[in-house]
Amino acid sequence: MPVTTRHDWSRAEIQALLELPLLDLLWRAQAVHREANPGYRVQLASLLSVKTGGCEEDCAYCPQSMHHSSDVAGRPELDVEPVLARARAAKEAGAHRFCMGWAWREIRDGAPFEAMLQMVQGVRELGMEACVTAGMLTDRQAERLAEAGLTSYNHNLDTSPEHYDRIISTRTYQERLETLQRVRRAGISMCCGGIIGMGESLEDRASLLQVLANLDPHPESVPINALVAVEGTPLEEQPPVDPLELVRMVATARILMPQSRVRLSAGREQLSREAQILCLQAGADSIFYGDTLLTTGNPDVAADRELLAAAGVKAWS
Ligand code: SAM
Ligand code: DTB
Ligand code: SF4
């Protein structure tokens, strides 16, 4: 049966998917995934924090916000050469994409932005995909990133429009959607997803997925994060996410956005090997690769090589 790509999913339809008996949900997700992405391979994306901590925004989950005691302010921003050295090392270790993060509310013009453009160009010259996540941007900045060869810009919606105000007060949902439009207008591919485990309801999860799935075209890549509850953040006491909830979120994202890359993102360190394999079976086709995310831990390279071998899955090269 050919897979149809839709942009008119209702909240009720999505919630019904999230609530299917688990094995039925997995069956549907697998059918869509194998049809839409023949020759299943997993993309390995390495992540590096170029500018860490001291961020003006108050995102309740984030250890880098200056509003929380977890803030690791004062770490120097990395220069172009050390960043490119890390990208080369990531490539040698087998990464296909190199993602760089800045703990900024928005991009400002000036030397750090010029350095960002050089980093993007350098990563592309290595033959890797380049992704940047650095907050809001202007049309002109998006155009300059596109000219530098940027493959993708990551900007997450994080949660549902309804739950959003309990998580962030310093920028609106609408501003996030406008940033995403600017990325699109500049011809850069969109990486946009969210986080589960922040006290949201099942309706909220359906609502987040509805906003994502009704973007036209769908985001080319969709990171699904499980909250890493960091001490000193307002969400430090959130109970861990049930791994099967993450499996359900991945499977539903896969059904709704058949052609998108669904990335199993933060929270993998807390998952067993078997839970991660269930997420792959549910349709995840990308993981972060390397022993740190931005400030928190991620499984090490050897463990991920073993994971893929155990699942019998090949990585993009
Ligand atoms: N400052 C930029 C921004 O917010 O767009 C870029 C960096 S920000 C750290 C990128 C994304 O990481 C956030 O949107 C959020 O989805 C995710 N993230 C941050 N802290 C997290 C945590 N503790 N657990 C799970 N995901 C997290
Ligand atoms: C995304 O959705 N997850 C990544 C990436 N995009 C930039 C970041 C996860 C950060 C987890 C917390 C930390 O390491 O600071
Ligand atoms: Fe700043 Fe991004 Fe963290 Fe929000 S998620 S506090 S914008 S670094």
Side-chain angles (χ1 to χ4, degrees):
M1 193 177 60
V3 171
T4 48
T5 301
R6 289 174 48 194
H7 302 278
D8 60 352
W9 290 92
S10 74
R11 179 95 47 102
E13 279 178 298
I14 298 173
Q15 203 172 318
L17 286 172
L18 282 169
E19 288 178 314
L20 275 176
L22 183 63
L23 295 187
D24 294 345
L25 176 60
L26 279 172
W27 176 253
R28 285 198 49 180
Q30 274 265 295
V32 168
H33 187 42
R34 290 296 174 130
E35 175 71 35
N37 305 294
Y40 175 47
R41 275 174 197 257
V42 168
Q43 186 190 46
L44 304 178
S46 289
L47 192 53
L48 177 66
S49 181
V50 178
K51 193 271 174 179
T52 309
C55 182
E56 294 157 16
E57 302 272 4
D58 68 354
C59 313
Y61 50 77
C62 186
Q64 304 193 66
S65 164
M66 60 193 252
H67 301 266
H68 315 324
S69 64
S70 55
D71 184 21
V72 279
R75 275 207 223 164
E77 198 163 325
L78 301 179
D79 289 332
V80 177
E81 254 325 302
V83 169
L84 294 180
R86 294 286 291 269
R88 271 190 294 276
K91 184 182 171 167
E92 273 156 32
H96 187 252
R97 176 156 160 140
F98 194 68
C99 310
M100 296 165 279
W102 279 257
W104 287 343
R105 170 178 162 71
E106 72 230 318
I107 298 181
R108 299 197 182 113
D109 291 328
F113 180 49
E114 300 303 320
M116 180 192 290
L117 296 170
Q118 287 176 33
M119 291 169 197
V120 168
Q121 215 176 336
V123 170
R124 298 295 287 142
E125 281 163 9
L126 291 172
M128 303 174 90
E129 291 188 359
C131 182
V132 161
T133 181
M136 296 185 281
L137 40 55
T138 64
D139 281 313
R140 182 68 198 127
Q141 288 161 346
E143 281 160 20
R144 292 197 65 202
L145 282 165
E147 283 159 18
L150 186 67
T151 313
S152 182
Y153 195 82
N154 166 249
H155 197 65
N156 290 338
L157 288 170
D158 285 343
T159 191
S160 67
E162 298 76 20
H163 191 62
Y164 186 85
D165 290 351
R166 268 169 278 165
I167 304 297
I168 299 144
S169 79
T170 49
R171 82 173 139 208
T172 64
Y173 214 75
Q174 189 53 35
E175 284 173 311
R176 288 197 186 247
L177 291 167
E178 284 164 14
T179 299
L180 292 167
Q181 274 170 9
R182 291 200 177 95
V183 168
R184 266 275 143 77
R185 273 204 293 271
I188 300 169
S189 91
M190 187 193 284
C191 173
C192 181
I195 309 175
I196 65 167
M198 303 196 295
E200 74 286 344
S201 63
L202 193 75
E203 290 79 5
D204 287 312
R205 290 180 192 168
S207 173
L208 165 65
L209 287 171
Q210 186 188 23
V211 180
L212 292 170
N214 290 349
L215 292 171
D216 187 4
H218 291 151
E220 284 75 10
S221 109
V222 181
I224 304 290
N225 297 275
L227 176 73
V228 180
V230 179
E231 209 181 313
T233 63
L235 297 181
E236 64 180 359
E237 309 236 318
Q238 280 297 318
V241 171
D242 176 345
L244 295 181
E245 307 261 305
L246 195 57
V247 173
R248 285 179 180 281
M249 199 67 187
V250 167
T252 307
R254 171 52 66 209
I255 294 167
L256 301 177
M257 295 169 278
Q259 328 284 346
S260 302
R261 214 173 261 157
V262 176
R263 181 168 302 122
L264 179 59
S265 300
R268 260 192 329 115
E269 252 196 334
Q270 281 71 47
L271 297 183
S272 69
R273 183 177 75 146
E274 292 74 14
Q276 295 183 68
I277 289 177
L278 269 183
C279 289
L280 296 178
Q281 187 169 18
D285 60 355
S286 171
I287 55 173
F288 281 121
Y289 182 62
D291 59 9
T292 31
L293 292 166
L294 292 171
T295 65
T296 65
N298 195 46
D300 64 33
V301 162
D304 278 344
R305 287 275 161 206
E306 279 168 32
L307 172 75
L308 296 185
V313 184
K314 290 205 173 67
W316 285 86
S317 54

